[in-house]
Amino acid sequence: MNVKKLVKEVSFRNENFSQWYTDVCLKSELIDYSDVKGFFIYLPYGYALWEMIQQFMNQELKKTNHQNVYFPLVFTENLFQKEQQHIEGFAPEAMTISKIGDKTLPEKLIIRPTSEVLFSQYYAKKIVSYRDLPKLFNQWCSVVRWEKTNKLFLRSKEFLWQEGHTVHATKEEALQESFDILNLYKKLGQELLAIPFVSGKKTEKEKFKGAEVTYSIEALMYDGQALQAGTSHYLGTKFSEAFEITFQDANLQKQFAHQTSWGISTRLIGALIMVHGDDEGLVMPPYIAPVQIVIVPLQMKNEQVVKKAHLLYQQLSTAYRVEIDLQNKNIGWKFSNHELKGIPLRIEIGKKELENGELTLFIRHNSTKIKLAEKDLLKEIPLLLKKIHQEMYQKASDHVKNNTYQAKTYDEFKQHLQKTGYIKMSVYENEAEEIIKKETGATARVILDEPLITEICPVTNKKANQTVLFARAY
Amino acid sequence: MNVKKLVKEVSFRNENFSQWYTDVCLKSELIDYSDVKGFFIYLPYGYALWEMIQQFMNQELKKTNHQNVYFPLVFTENLFQKEQQHIEGFAPEAMTISKIGDKTLPEKLIIRPTSEVLFSQYYAKKIVSYRDLPKLFNQWCSVVRWEKTNKLFLRSKEFLWQEGHTVHATKEEALQESFDILNLYKKLGQELLAIPFVSGKKTEKEKFKGAEVTYSIEALMYDGQALQAGTSHYLGTKFSEAFEITFQDANLQKQFAHQTSWGISTRLIGALIMVHGDDEGLVMPPYIAPVQIVIVPLQMKNEQVVKKAHLLYQQLSTAYRVEIDLQNKNIGWKFSNHELKGIPLRIEIGKKELENGELTLFIRHNSTKIKLAEKDLLKEIPLLLKKIHQEMYQKASDHVKNNTYQAKTYDEFKQHLQKTGYIKMSVYENEAEEIIKKETGATARVILDEPLITEICPVTNKKANQTVLFARAY
């Protein structure tokens, strides 16, 4: 271990990925534990990331006429049970409230693990005619699911998310909505998170039980494990039949409405860390970075240097999220801290820079230093941020490409799995999936829209009917 | 009742204020009931108001270096009881969770009614030196309090709010913070809500039990009843002593930290409705209005008219929140609906307007129509919105002025109270307050920073020691 490591106390990523992840989360002050296991505290630096995701999504959802709402935290047990299929996965995890102070409630309440039933009940009451459709509601809130194991950002008893709930007159329109949202999630990855998501339908076994079709976006972490990063469901008429969400169509016929629901959560922050982070800590893609640029005067006692730093701050802070580091600490500590926090760009200004009319720029994601004429700064910054974003996206895409395998036999599958990563195999639906999960721990991530690799499923020896992307997953 | 009334189904404000309020809330689709009593659904138009408040506050809080965070929904019963005074008011209202699915929890969990204990626990862990101070955290979330009676926006079992929790090295600094926030709340009233808040300290009896000092902002509704619209607490060292939030000062001495907490909630939306609304429905102040301008083509089949309406929409929508009403409904229904929703400005464009190169503008808050040369529109709109805001603020201020009385005797007090409104009286602290509440239902809103009106308290005949603003309150 080198000295720098000892200062930062972040484990080496290749030695113990799990410990590295925890270290990075805690030391960079993104998140912390509370006194209830599995309930986390989102600290300013971590919550700012969530606010950036909210901003991006709100802008995009507004363009497509989605409306933000807020539905209650609780609903009755009776309502919860109205759609039987979807509660299958949630009932054992649901928080039940039976008492207020010392008084027992006449009917038990459930803290929302997801809100399909609440939205459905409202829609059933309000939708009368095809003219009332579509309804495109979204809410930002927290939900509670009593997960047994917990991991910072990735799996917690309470997490923050957005849940969209829409109603449409036809199957085509609803399917289109769930597909459009899937593409929006991919856009979020491409433009904000610098994460290339693989997307596709979930298999029957892995889909949301309340849905006809579940689409999902999957991300590949640095350690080769996959992470389900968001889902978009076509619910069909499952809920509308259970809740009687009907409308009169243009021919005065009564029809059941078609619904979708979709969500992304604070898991995305976990993905951001695990995809981009390195031995020095976080690496923030520039468009989501809460601090995009940090300005550091190299000689704190040199008035000219400090003055110049302030001047640069003024010039940049109208267009970028900038900080100036005037802490009374040594430069090494400061640099180390900026790197831990993953700030994309550090501008160093010292006596030498002043003399030469130039600036030293440290670029976090590839640890390079460049010199820049001061007069070119305002012109260069947007180009530089764009280049950083593109390079980070490309690096993450290369990682996916270099860790995606194709298996024609089950042995090949198992060999690839030792290296981790994505493995494509053509299989005979559920049966193969169950064997694979039991024997190797890998799960079906998505069904790929690709031709069959083999005619016969190598696991079951039956006729293969789909090509599936497998991986070990968080 | 006139025909218009029958169409809109909104009660007359002067006949039945309470029913009028409920009608306006529901018909304008701000909010709705859920299946659990006291848990409300915030619909798009109502939630948009909350988002405007969030935006305003986030901008202002950022300027003063406050940071947004998210702390958990639940904490242990044990933690809740660590500061005994503050739970006095909350314990009977707290939601207690003892079961997950069928499994009983080892320790009961409380759904947050407010989060002082959670923040305090975190601060105790993290704060070591005076260099770590101040800490200025804020969160937007929902809290749950099991109120027995419920009223849309004003009193509900779950409500949305922001709760700020700060820590400071000195009493002076913490007091200043709680005072600065009080002023920020007043600014929110002045600049966004067009509501003049009266502010001051709460009396001993009315203050938050966990605080040394509670400041509050109060608003006067149209019906003359007051509404506590926000509070800012100087907590002193009550929590820091209970939780051991200590720090080493510059002289290496261990000190207890001084704290504040403060909050505003979705109650503000209730105030907005009750202060500004009229017989036609909502009246939105222009800077918070989710739709500031609605454009209505008067002849939907006239191509030139519709084209012009679209053109105006394009010109205005880059700078304002604008809608164009192209619904296939009659003009009377449309106008009535815009008025119900309280849209500040309606631009009517028809054949006659086209011929004359002018526009007809309907101004919601004073129900006047003006003609405007089309070429002046872009120049006039910002002036007009400003004028509307100022007039609405002035009207609300006049209402306060015209309904604030001064009482030198208890009889005078009782007479004024029949007319409702604010009544100032100089009293002998708790004792008078208790008698007044019991006998008249009026409560102490705030202690006024004004000289004594009478030397002797008219209620107790003891020496008066403070001038208090009384009112019946929601």
Side-chain angles (χ1 to χ4, degrees):
Chain A
M1 261 196 199
N2 59 26
V3 177
K4 207 169 172 189
K5 265 296 166 208
L6 286 171
V7 173
K8 285 198 314 185
E9 301 167 52
V10 171
S11 306
F12 282 103
R13 183 173 54 155
N14 285 335
E15 279 175 10
N16 185 341
F17 189 72
S18 177
Q19 189 58 48
W20 167 86
Y21 176 72
T22 305
D23 288 349
V24 169
C25 285
L26 298 177
K27 306 280 174 186
S28 66
E29 296 189 295
L30 292 173
I31 195 167
D32 208 337
Y33 303 104
S34 81
D35 72 328
V36 183
K37 218 183 139 206
F39 285 80
F40 300 132
I41 294 169
Y42 297 84
L43 294 170
Y45 201 55
Y47 193 72
L49 292 170
W50 187 236
E51 287 184 316
M52 295 303 299
I53 291 170
Q54 287 185 311
Q55 211 175 75
F56 182 97
M57 288 298 296
N58 274 333
Q59 262 172 24
E60 295 291 324
L61 288 173
K62 207 173 174 181
K63 282 186 208 165
T64 44
N65 298 315
H66 292 80
Q67 296 179 302
N68 281 345
V69 294
Y70 183 79
F71 275 58
L73 175 70
V74 300
F75 42 80
T76 61
E77 202 173 36
N78 178 39
L79 192 71
F80 190 41
Q81 289 171 342
K82 221 163 172 177
E83 202 292 322
Q84 281 296 327
Q85 285 179 289
H86 96 288
I87 66 166
E88 208 179 281
F90 291 119
E93 297 173 352
M95 277 181 110
T96 314
I97 301 157
S98 41
K99 271 191 167 186
I100 305 302
D102 292 332
K103 277 178 65 181
T104 301
L105 287 172
E107 186 174 9
K108 283 182 198 162
L109 298 177
I110 305 286
I111 308 260
R112 64 178 163 226
T114 182
S115 307
E116 274 78 4
V117 294
L118 264 180
F119 281 80
S120 292
Q121 190 190 40
Y122 174 77
Y123 287 140
K125 200 169 73 174
K126 288 290 166 179
I127 292 166
V128 177
S129 145
Y130 69 97
R131 288 188 203 88
D132 299 326
L133 298 175
K135 289 274 183 207
L136 308 171
F137 285 1
N138 175 62
Q139 77 176 359
W140 297 91
C141 63
S142 80
V143 288
V144 175
R145 298 176 188 176
W146 210 259
E147 305 270 5
K148 272 182 210 122
T149 57
N150 300 286
K151 196 173 178 73
L152 296 165
F153 290 116
L154 298 190
R155 196 171 290 277
S156 47
K157 294 191 169 68
E158 180 191 20
F159 57 88
L160 299 170
W161 79 344
Q162 65 60 221
E163 49 178 323
H165 296 275
T166 71
V167 194
H168 307 263
T170 65
K171 177 177 178 173
E172 291 66 39
E173 209 188 290
L175 267 170
Q176 188 62 48
E177 167 79 4
S178 57
F179 202 67
D180 288 346
I181 293 294
L182 188 77
N183 283 329
L184 173 55
Y185 289 160
K186 289 176 83 167
K187 188 178 178 184
L188 173 76
Q190 237 160 2
E191 297 183 6
L192 194 77
L193 309 171
I195 296 179
F197 292 123
V198 174
S199 68
K201 277 187 199 173
K202 283 278 176 192
T203 59
E204 271 307 306
K205 195 173 140 56
E206 295 284 333
K207 75 166 197 195
F208 172 43
K209 294 296 172 278
E212 295 285 348
V213 183
T214 293
Y215 292 104
S216 121
I217 48 166
E218 304 279 328
L220 193 65
M221 306 296 100
Y222 176 79
D223 69 344
Q225 289 203 65
L227 181 80
Q228 179 178 301
T231 48
S232 179
H233 312 290
Y234 165 62
L235 303 174
T237 56
K238 286 192 179 192
F239 285 88
S240 73
E241 285 179 39
F243 286 84
E244 290 200 58
I245 309 174
T246 59
F247 67 96
Q248 211 171 42
D249 68 15
N251 304 318
L252 306 181
Q253 297 299 305
K254 192 176 124 174
Q255 303 275 1
F256 283 111
H258 293 259
Q259 289 172 275
T260 82
S261 69
W262 29 275
I264 47 172
S265 76
T266 31
R267 285 204 119 185
L268 287 175
I269 299 173
L272 197 72
I273 303 163
M274 284 194 171
V275 168
H276 300 300
D278 66 18
D279 279 346
E280 315 306 320
L282 295 171
V283 182
M284 288 286 173
Y287 300 127
I288 194 174
V291 182
Q292 297 174 300
I293 305 165
V294 60
I295 300 167
V296 190
L298 297 178
Q299 294 88 26
M300 286 284 290
K301 284 172 186 163
N302 184 316
E303 255 183 55
Q304 289 307 101
V305 165
V306 174
K307 201 175 147 190
K308 175 64 77 180
H310 278 290
L311 195 75
L312 292 175
Y313 176 80
Q314 277 164 29
Q315 288 177 330
L316 292 171
S317 59
T318 51
Y320 306 99
R321 297 183 291 276
V322 190
E323 268 184 13
I324 178 166
D325 192 341
L326 299 172
Q327 287 178 91
N328 190 17
K329 296 196 166 150
N330 80 57
I331 286 287
W333 186 92
K334 286 186 185 184
F335 284 4
S336 191
N337 187 47
H338 305 149
E339 286 162 44
L340 173 64
K341 296 233 163 181
I343 301 170
L345 215 50
R346 181 171 73 224
I347 301 179
E348 304 170 10
I349 171 87
K351 278 182 288 191
K352 225 169 64 191
E353 280 81 4
L354 267 189
E355 274 166 30
N356 302 333
E358 63 181 18
L359 300 164
T360 303
L361 269 61
F362 176 78
I363 298 164
R364 173 66 180 92
H365 80 292
N366 58 13
S367 298
T368 54
K369 277 199 180 189
I370 57 171
K371 297 279 182 190
L372 194 66
E374 199 202 322
K375 64 175 174 48
D376 294 335
L377 184 69
L378 288 181
K379 193 186 71 194
E380 287 298 323
I381 291 273
L383 303 176
L384 209 46
L385 294 182
K386 191 174 173 189
K387 190 163 166 262
I388 294 171
H389 178 85
Q390 284 169 343
E391 286 178 5
M392 288 182 71
Y393 186 78
Q394 191 55 50
K395 192 179 170 188
S397 299
D398 289 345
H399 182 67
V400 173
K401 208 174 141 196
N402 297 335
N403 290 282
T404 302
Y405 310 96
Q406 192 166 295
K408 287 184 180 162
T409 68
Y410 195 20
D411 276 349
E412 258 187 307
F413 182 95
K414 287 175 185 163
Q415 269 168 26
H416 287 314
L417 199 63
Q418 285 173 1
K419 289 175 283 185
T420 72
Y422 287 139
I423 309 165
K424 299 177 185 183
M425 188 160 62
S426 296
V427 295
Y428 174 69
E429 47 184 42
N430 287 1
E431 207 176 306
E433 226 180 304
E434 270 168 37
I435 295 169
I436 289 170
K437 189 171 180 184
K438 206 174 141 192
E439 294 184 357
T440 72
T443 49
R445 307 318 307 157
V446 289
I447 301 170
L448 295 168
D449 196 11
E450 291 180 12
L452 291 178
I453 300 164
T454 57
E455 289 292 315
I456 301 296
C457 164
V459 182
T460 61
N461 282 322
K462 293 183 181 169
K463 202 165 152 28
N465 57 358
Q466 53 196 9
T467 299
V468 173
L469 191 70
F470 289 90
R472 288 212 185 88
Y474 280 99
Chain B
M1 261 198 199
N2 60 27
V3 177
K4 208 170 171 191
K5 263 297 168 211
L6 285 172
V7 173
K8 286 197 314 184
E9 300 165 53
V10 171
S11 306
F12 282 103
R13 183 174 53 155
N14 286 334
E15 280 176 10
N16 186 340
F17 189 73
S18 177
Q19 189 58 50
W20 167 86
Y21 176 72
T22 305
D23 288 348
V24 169
C25 286
L26 298 177
K27 305 280 175 186
S28 67
E29 295 189 293
L30 291 174
I31 194 166
D32 207 336
Y33 303 104
S34 81
D35 72 327
V36 183
K37 218 182 139 205
F39 286 80
F40 300 132
I41 295 169
Y42 297 85
L43 294 171
Y45 201 54
Y47 193 73
L49 292 171
W50 187 236
E51 287 183 317
M52 296 302 298
I53 292 170
Q54 288 186 311
Q55 213 174 74
F56 183 97
M57 289 298 296
N58 274 334
Q59 262 172 24
E60 294 292 325
L61 289 173
K62 207 173 175 179
K63 282 185 207 164
T64 44
N65 297 316
H66 293 81
Q67 295 179 301
N68 281 346
V69 295
Y70 183 80
F71 275 58
L73 175 70
V74 300
F75 41 82
T76 61
E77 203 173 34
N78 177 39
L79 192 70
F80 190 41
Q81 289 170 342
K82 221 163 173 178
E83 200 291 322
Q84 279 297 327
Q85 286 179 288
H86 97 289
I87 67 165
E88 209 180 280
F90 291 118
E93 297 173 352
M95 277 181 110
T96 313
I97 301 156
S98 42
K99 271 190 166 185
I100 305 302
D102 293 332
K103 277 178 67 181
T104 301
L105 287 173
E107 186 174 10
K108 283 181 197 162
L109 298 178
I110 306 286
I111 308 258
R112 65 178 162 225
T114 181
S115 308
E116 274 78 5
V117 294
L118 264 180
F119 281 81
S120 292
Q121 189 191 40
Y122 175 78
Y123 288 139
K125 201 169 72 174
K126 288 291 165 175
I127 292 167
V128 178
S129 147
Y130 69 97
R131 288 190 203 86
D132 299 326
L133 298 175
K135 288 276 182 205
L136 309 171
F137 284 0
N138 175 62
Q139 76 176 0
W140 297 92
C141 63
S142 80
V143 288
V144 175
R145 298 175 188 177
W146 209 258
E147 304 271 3
K148 271 183 209 119
T149 57
N150 301 287
K151 196 172 178 74
L152 296 166
F153 289 116
L154 298 190
R155 198 171 287 278
S156 47
K157 294 191 169 68
E158 180 192 19
F159 57 89
L160 300 170
W161 80 345
Q162 68 56 221
E163 50 178 322
H165 297 274
T166 72
V167 193
H168 308 263
T170 65
K171 177 176 179 175
E172 293 65 39
E173 208 189 292
L175 268 170
Q176 188 62 48
E177 167 80 4
S178 58
F179 201 67
D180 288 347
I181 293 294
L182 188 76
N183 283 330
L184 173 55
Y185 289 161
K186 289 177 83 168
K187 188 178 178 185
L188 173 76
Q190 237 160 2
E191 297 183 6
L192 193 76
L193 309 171
I195 297 179
F197 292 122
V198 174
S199 68
K201 275 187 200 175
K202 283 279 175 192
T203 59
E204 272 305 306
K205 196 173 136 59
E206 294 283 333
K207 75 164 199 199
F208 172 43
K209 294 296 172 278
E212 295 285 348
V213 183
T214 292
Y215 293 104
S216 123
I217 48 167
E218 304 280 327
L220 193 65
M221 306 296 99
Y222 176 79
D223 69 343
Q225 289 204 64
L227 181 80
Q228 177 178 302
T231 48
S232 180
H233 313 290
Y234 165 61
L235 303 175
T237 56
K238 286 193 179 190
F239 285 89
S240 71
E241 285 178 39
F243 285 85
E244 292 199 60
I245 310 174
T246 59
F247 66 95
Q248 209 171 43
D249 69 15
N251 304 317
L252 306 181
Q253 298 299 305
K254 193 177 124 174
Q255 303 276 1
F256 282 111
H258 294 258
Q259 289 173 275
T260 81
S261 70
W262 28 275
I264 47 171
S265 76
T266 32
R267 285 205 118 184
L268 287 176
I269 299 173
L272 197 73
I273 303 162
M274 284 194 170
V275 168
H276 300 301
D278 66 17
D279 279 346
E280 314 307 320
L282 296 171
V283 182
M284 289 285 171
Y287 300 127
I288 195 176
V291 182
Q292 298 175 298
I293 305 166
V294 60
I295 300 167
V296 190
L298 298 178
Q299 295 86 27
M300 285 285 289
K301 284 172 185 163
N302 183 317
E303 254 182 55
Q304 289 307 100
V305 166
V306 174
K307 202 175 148 190
K308 175 63 77 179
H310 278 290
L311 196 74
L312 291 175
Y313 176 80
Q314 276 165 28
Q315 288 177 331
L316 292 171
S317 60
T318 50
Y320 305 99
R321 297 183 290 275
V322 190
E323 268 185 13
I324 178 165
D325 191 342
L326 299 172
Q327 288 177 90
N328 189 17
K329 295 194 166 150
N330 79 58
I331 287 288
W333 186 91
K334 284 186 185 185
F335 284 4
S336 190
N337 188 47
H338 305 147
E339 286 161 45
L340 172 64
K341 296 231 163 181
I343 300 170
L345 216 51
R346 181 172 71 226
I347 300 178
E348 303 170 10
I349 171 86
K351 277 182 288 191
K352 226 168 63 191
E353 280 81 3
L354 267 190
E355 274 167 29
N356 301 333
E358 64 181 19
L359 300 165
T360 302
L361 269 61
F362 175 78
I363 298 165
R364 173 67 180 91
H365 79 293
N366 58 12
S367 297
T368 55
K369 277 201 180 187
I370 57 172
K371 296 279 182 189
L372 194 69
E374 198 202 320
K375 64 174 173 47
D376 294 335
L377 184 69
L378 288 181
K379 192 186 67 195
E380 286 297 324
I381 290 274
L383 304 175
L384 210 45
L385 294 182
K386 192 174 173 190
K387 189 163 168 262
I388 295 171
H389 178 84
Q390 284 170 343
E391 286 179 6
M392 289 182 69
Y393 186 78
Q394 191 54 50
K395 192 179 171 190
S397 299
D398 290 345
H399 182 68
V400 173
K401 208 174 141 195
N402 297 334
N403 291 282
T404 302
Y405 311 97
Q406 192 167 294
K408 288 183 180 160
T409 68
Y410 195 19
D411 276 349
E412 259 189 305
F413 182 95
K414 287 177 186 162
Q415 270 168 26
H416 287 314
L417 200 62
Q418 285 172 3
K419 289 176 285 186
T420 73
Y422 287 138
I423 309 166
K424 298 177 186 184
M425 188 158 65
S426 296
V427 295
Y428 174 69
E429 47 184 42
N430 287 1
E431 208 176 306
E433 225 179 304
E434 269 169 36
I435 295 169
I436 288 170
K437 189 171 179 182
K438 207 175 141 192
E439 294 185 357
T440 73
T443 49
R445 307 319 306 157
V446 288
I447 302 170
L448 296 168
D449 197 11
E450 292 180 11
L452 291 179
I453 301 164
T454 56
E455 290 290 316
I456 301 296
C457 165
V459 183
T460 61
N461 283 321
K462 293 183 182 170
K463 202 166 152 30
N465 57 358
Q466 54 196 8
T467 299
V468 173
L469 191 70
F470 289 91
R472 288 212 186 88
Y474 279 100

